[in-house]
């Protein structure tokens, strides 16, 4: 008979793991206990990526199995964005769960709607292990720290391959025009696999710009890369316009938009993880090689490759000047926001080009 729970020491805490033998990844038989032990093994790294950041928990309490589905916006509207009969198999936890231990800290954040929530704020590895016991596979930290949740300290560049392209295309863009532009701006970027097919580049920035300004800087970055390799890169928001190109998703820098953290597990059958890599090794890595089974050994060998990310914070002045030139010299204004946003100042029509009748705003 399976043990109803075990207790695992994590620092000064004992973290309870319920149903530790429950299989979360049937393809390889990885269990909940192995998920928790993975996060403990890479604890220093995952904590660096999430420490003192309000963090959305992507929970898969039934595991990753064929036919499992994430809650949709409609599920949330019906109040069914949770696990159980008649509900989704996975959901995003944006408020601290009831019954959380008193050592689980929170940060209050504001959504674009103006509503507020108290999100989990990791302060120690035990919080990560506790969340993993809840079925959290992926941690989605905001690009802000507790104490100033309205001024991001991270610029996030998301290179997202569209249908017809793949990881190698994202790598080529990262190692070519994206890295060149960072160098010209005097910025240091830290690169990782997305855990799926993309590449993420993080740049630590001074926390003195709003989400709107950081998003504008990200859009300017994307447009400059697009100018340099227009056949390979797009910043077009509507999928029908992107073609077989790598999309630079500037909207990942908007308020309440988050990216899977470094070391986060992704909900795929082979249990892949978002893996920090060096720029020198990026061209040769295969993202499928980084899993909960292989990453602990790599982490023990090379440590956290993002450890120096806090050594220097950079200015966005150069990118914001580039945004000003785009608007002044090229007539390039804002782009659409995600659908859950209220209409934003200066935003163009939020309607697919193929559905635009010419009378919507």
């Amino acid at each position: 008979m399976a043990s109803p729970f075990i207790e695992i020491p994590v620092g000064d805490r004992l973290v309870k793991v319920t149903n530790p033998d429950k299989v979360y990844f049937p393809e390889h038989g990885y269990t909940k206990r192995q998920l928790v032990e993975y996060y403990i093994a890479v604890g220093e790294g995952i904590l660096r990526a999430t420490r003192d950041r309000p963090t959305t928990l992507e929970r898969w309490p039934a595991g990753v199995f064929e036919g499992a589905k994430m809650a949709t916006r409609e599920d949330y509207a019906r109040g069914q964005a949770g696990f159980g009969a008649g509900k989704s198999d996975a959901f995003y936890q944006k408020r601290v769960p009831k019954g959380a231990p008193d050592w689980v800290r929170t940060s209050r954040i504001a959504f674009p709607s103006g509503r507020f929530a108290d999100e989990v704020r990791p302060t120690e590895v035990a919080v990560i292990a506790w969340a993993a016991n809840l079925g959290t596979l992926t941690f989605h930290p905001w690009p802000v720290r507790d104490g100033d949740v309205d001024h991001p300290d991270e610029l996030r560049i998301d290179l997202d391959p569209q249908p017809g392209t793949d990881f190698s295309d994202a790598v080529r863009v990262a190692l070519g025009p994206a890295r060149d532009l960072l160098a010209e701006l005097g910025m240091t970027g830290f690169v990782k696999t997305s855990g799926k097919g993309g590449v993420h580049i993080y740049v630590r920035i001074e926390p003195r710009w709003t989400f709107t300004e950081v998003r504008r800087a990200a859009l300017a970055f994307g447009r400059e890369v697009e100018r340099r390799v227009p056949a390979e890169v797009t910043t077009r928001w509507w999928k029908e316009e992107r073609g077989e190109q790598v999309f630079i998703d500037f909207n990942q820098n908007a308020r309440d938009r988050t990216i899977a953290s470094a070391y986060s597990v992704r909900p795929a059958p082979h249990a892949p993880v978002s893996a920090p890599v060096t720029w020198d090794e990026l061209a040769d890595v295969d993202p499928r090689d980084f899993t909960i089974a292989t990453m602990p050994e790599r982490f023990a060998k090379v440590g956290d490759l993002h450890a120096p990310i806090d050594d220097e914070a950079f200015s966005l002045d150069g990118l914001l000047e580039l945004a000003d030139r785009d608007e002044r010299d090229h007539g390039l204004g804002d782009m659409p926001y995600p659908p859950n946003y209220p209409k934003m100042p200066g935003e163009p029509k939020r309607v697919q080009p193929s559905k635009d009748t010419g009378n919507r705003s």
Side-chain angles (χ1 to χ4, degrees), residues 104 180 238 289 302 330:
V104 175
D180 290 345
W238 300 108
D289 291 339
V302 305
H330 304 289

Side-chain angles (χ1 to χ4, degrees), residues 235-347:
T235 55
R236 294 183 179 274
W237 174 244
W238 300 108
K239 291 183 179 180
E240 65 185 39
E241 294 187 310
R242 293 177 191 169
E244 295 183 0
Q245 295 174 293
V246 174
F247 172 52
I248 298 185
D249 190 353
F250 55 89
N251 266 333
Q252 294 289 32
N253 293 273
R255 180 184 290 273
D256 193 32
R257 296 282 286 199
T258 56
I259 294 179
S261 76
Y263 303 101
S264 270
V265 181
R266 309 312 302 273
H270 62 294
V273 305
S274 179
V277 297
T278 67
W279 284 101
D280 288 341
E281 68 181 334
L282 180 59
D284 298 319
V285 302
D286 184 337
R288 295 171 296 184
D289 291 339
F290 304 119
T291 71
I292 66 170
T294 63
M295 181 56 79
E297 181 178 355
R298 173 179 165 86
F299 190 86
K301 181 179 180 180
V302 305
D304 180 15
L305 297 178
H306 284 188
I309 195 170
D310 290 313
D311 290 353
E312 185 176 5
F314 298 94
S315 171
L316 286 181
D317 287 342
L319 280 173
L320 292 174
E321 289 172 5
L322 186 58
D324 290 340
R325 289 198 299 272
D326 280 344
E327 189 166 3
R328 181 185 64 244
D329 300 339
H330 304 289
L332 297 173
D334 206 351
M335 293 282 275
Y337 274 75
N340 62 314
Y341 265 68
K343 183 70 174 180
M344 301 295 286
E347 181 186 2

Side-chain angles (χ1 to χ4, degrees), residues 119-251:
E119 284 206 335
V120 171
R121 170 171 57 93
T123 55
E124 54 184 300
V125 178
V127 174
I128 302 294
W130 162 81
N133 176 61
L134 297 179
T136 301
L137 298 189
T138 310
F139 292 82
H140 295 266
W142 283 47
V144 298
R145 307 261 191 187
D146 186 65
D148 188 356
V149 294
D150 293 316
H151 294 90
D153 70 341
E154 223 165 48
L155 174 69
R156 296 174 174 179
I157 301 164
D158 180 8
L159 305 180
D160 184 11
Q162 299 302 289
T165 65
D166 59 21
F167 179 73
S168 65
D169 297 294
V171 167
R172 187 169 58 253
V173 172
L175 289 174
R179 192 182 189 188
D180 290 345
L181 181 53
L182 287 173
E184 292 166 21
L185 293 164
M187 292 176 160
T188 299
F190 290 80
V191 68
K192 67 183 182 74
T193 67
S194 70
K196 293 184 177 179
V199 173
H200 297 158
I201 305 170
Y202 284 10
V203 178
R204 184 68 77 241
I205 58 174
E206 299 165 359
R208 56 190 181 95
W209 290 276
T210 64
F211 279 96
T212 300
E213 291 168 322
V214 175
R215 175 184 174 275
R216 188 165 185 259
L219 177 55
F221 186 97
R223 281 172 166 163
E224 179 59 26
V225 173
E226 184 178 16
R227 268 190 290 270
R228 298 182 183 195
V229 286
E232 299 180 50
V233 169
T234 182
T235 55
R236 294 183 179 274
W237 174 244
W238 300 108
K239 291 183 179 180
E240 65 185 39
E241 294 187 310
R242 293 177 191 169
E244 295 183 0
Q245 295 174 293
V246 174
F247 172 52
I248 298 185
D249 190 353
F250 55 89
N251 266 333

